[in-house]
Amino acid sequence: MRRELVERGLLLMARKGLADRGVEESGIVYGAGEIAETFLSSLTSQYIRTLAARAEWVVQEFGDLTEGQLKARVGEYFEQGIEQFQVPQNSMADDQ
């Protein structure tokens, strides 16, 4: 199972340009692909650090919830957001 996952991962990276696949006397070899350097430098960018911090917060905040609890919490946040943006409506009686 693990070997299959590694092979699938390598093939995916090769399709995306992150790895190059070659054949040598010793067997199949992999090296950095055309966009590997760009990809790796993006992992150290401020955007990625901020994204990682937000992902960590999500795990801390919601990681222990069951699916039902998570749906309820998201529903609460959604309802709070709707209330903030609702405009009071005049009834037809107010127009007369």
Side-chain angles (χ1 to χ4, degrees):
M1 179 67 174
R2 184 173 280 177
R3 178 186 169 104
E4 181 184 326
L5 288 175
V6 170
E7 288 175 353
R8 286 176 36 198
L10 286 168
L11 290 174
L12 175 63
M13 288 189 291
R15 281 197 306 269
K16 301 298 182 182
L18 295 172
D20 287 330
R21 183 175 161 177
V23 178
E24 292 184 358
E25 201 172 291
S26 60
I28 298 173
V29 294
Y30 290 88
E34 186 178 320
I35 65 166
E37 185 177 352
T38 304
F39 175 73
L40 290 174
S41 67
S42 75
L43 295 178
T44 59
S45 71
Q46 181 60 41
Y47 171 78
I48 294 298
R49 287 191 295 274
T50 302
L51 183 62
R54 289 179 180 164
E56 186 176 322
W57 175 85
V58 168
V59 170
Q60 289 174 354
E61 187 74 18
F62 304 108
D64 293 333
L65 300 180
T66 66
E67 184 176 344
Q69 291 170 325
L70 181 60
K71 286 181 181 180
R73 180 79 66 87
V74 169
E76 291 170 16
Y77 289 137
F78 183 73
E79 288 298 319
Q80 291 171 3
I82 291 292
E83 290 173 6
Q84 290 177 5
F85 294 104
Q86 283 184 340
V87 177
Q89 302 263 334
N90 291 334
S91 70
M92 291 179 65
D94 291 341
D95 293 337
Q96 295 177 357

